[in-house]
Amino acid sequence: MPMQPSERGKLDLSGRQLTVVPPNAWRNRSLRLLNLYRNKLKILPREIAYLTGLQVLILANNQLRTLPEELGALRHLRMLDAGHNLIGNLPRSFAKLTMLTDYLYLHDNRLQALSDSVFENFVHLRYLNLSQNPLRRLPTSLSAPVKLEELRLEDIGLEILPAFIADLTALDELTLRNNRLTSLPDSFEKLRNLRHLDLRGNRFTRVPDVLRNLRKLQKLDLRWNDLRARPAWLKELNARGCRVLL
């Protein structure tokens, strides 16, 4: 596919109702960005491994059920958007994508379990979205991306938030909306940089006391919980400029 000079290194095939990727896409070894958004792809072919210089891969809004093992060859990938698909598991090679730094979207898929080691080398990642997957538990390696600034865990069936979440001390925004949480771990107070916390639609009956110690908190959303009392220290949050929604 011919590209204009200003588009060199980029190939945009979004919204074309494609069921297969044109073969000539794999011949352009200089590609830095490949956009396959909103097509009808059921398979990402093994030829993806040819694009070793790829930095941005957009696969969102397709019909993918799996990702190929060859995905692990994309060692320079900085952003991957595989949201809004039918993916039920991640390939073992996924853990090799250690240069992911900008965004990793895996939301709205069918992931039921993640390997405990899947994120252990993702130390540079800044944004992760695992929302709308029937996970129910988080892999222990989720404590590894210590530069993570935004973590979205909406509607994953989570009943217990593990204590290791507090290792993500760079977190600025954490979304836990529409889960089954009744409490937060004591270690949660280590999230000193947290500014936005969304706890809507859980099963809290009281406001967790550990939130009192989050000095940088600017927005706390606890709507759609069955809260039976409002602690007096909520006034302290308001006085510090935190917007509290109950």
Side-chain angles (χ1 to χ4, degrees):
M1 172 175 291
M3 292 185 292
Q4 299 298 321
S6 62
E7 296 175 325
R8 189 170 298 164
K10 302 179 181 180
L11 181 55
D12 187 351
L13 297 174
S14 60
R16 303 195 184 192
Q17 304 298 304
L18 297 175
T19 56
V20 296
V21 181
N24 62 342
W26 314 123
R27 299 178 191 142
N28 189 347
R29 308 298 173 85
S30 64
L31 272 187
R32 297 292 179 266
L33 182 152
L34 177 58
N35 187 355
L36 297 170
Y37 171 75
R38 199 178 291 279
N39 282 292
K40 295 184 178 181
L41 301 175
K42 294 184 178 180
I43 295 175
L44 184 67
R46 294 184 296 177
E47 285 82 359
I48 189 69
Y50 296 158
L51 306 181
T52 53
L54 207 61
Q55 297 179 9
V56 177
L57 178 58
I58 302 172
L59 304 170
N61 291 77
N62 277 282
Q63 300 170 22
L64 299 172
R65 294 183 179 275
T66 61
L67 296 172
E69 283 292 338
E70 288 76 11
L71 191 72
L74 306 182
R75 301 299 180 87
H76 296 283
L77 203 63
R78 294 188 293 105
M79 171 185 163
L80 173 62
D81 185 353
H84 303 295
N85 276 286
L86 305 170
I87 299 169
N89 55 72
L90 298 178
R92 286 178 295 177
S93 67
F94 195 86
K96 297 179 180 179
L97 301 177
T98 58
M99 293 305 294
L100 282 172
T101 55
D102 298 350
Y103 298 95
L104 174 54
Y105 295 93
L106 294 170
H107 58 294
D108 189 20
N109 276 289
R110 296 182 179 178
L111 296 170
Q112 295 187 29
L114 294 172
S115 164
D116 271 332
S117 62
V118 64
F119 298 123
E120 65 183 12
N121 295 314
F122 285 41
V123 294
H124 304 292
L125 189 63
R126 298 198 302 267
Y127 176 99
L128 175 60
N129 192 341
L130 293 172
S131 299
Q132 295 172 293
N133 282 288
L135 284 169
R136 304 190 68 177
R137 63 175 293 272
L138 300 173
T140 55
S141 61
L142 190 55
S143 64
V146 292
K147 295 182 180 180
L148 206 62
E149 297 173 5
E150 184 169 347
L151 177 59
R152 306 191 71 87
L153 300 171
E154 300 176 27
D155 195 16
I156 62 171
L158 200 61
E159 296 183 2
I160 297 175
L161 189 66
F164 62 69
I165 204 74
D167 293 338
L168 303 176
T169 54
L171 272 185
D172 175 86
E173 182 169 347
L174 176 59
T175 301
L176 293 162
R177 178 179 175 178
N178 292 344
N179 281 290
R180 304 170 186 171
L181 299 173
T182 59
S183 64
L184 297 175
D186 291 339
S187 61
F188 202 82
E189 67 178 5
K190 295 179 182 178
L191 299 179
R192 301 291 187 182
N193 292 302
L194 199 62
R195 294 190 306 132
H196 298 93
L197 177 60
D198 189 346
L199 297 173
R200 283 178 289 177
N202 278 279
R203 298 180 179 177
F204 293 98
T205 57
R206 57 190 298 272
V207 181
D209 288 331
V210 70
L211 299 178
R212 184 178 188 177
N213 300 320
L214 301 181
R215 299 291 176 178
K216 291 188 178 181
L217 205 59
Q218 294 180 4
K219 182 178 180 180
L220 170 61
D221 200 335
L222 273 159
R223 289 176 292 177
W224 315 329
N225 284 281
D226 187 19
L227 298 174
R228 297 167 189 173
R230 300 187 180 190
W233 56 259
L234 279 180
K235 296 180 180 179
E236 298 176 17
L237 294 188
N238 286 319
R240 294 201 300 259
C242 178
R243 184 184 180 198
V244 180
L245 300 173
L246 300 174

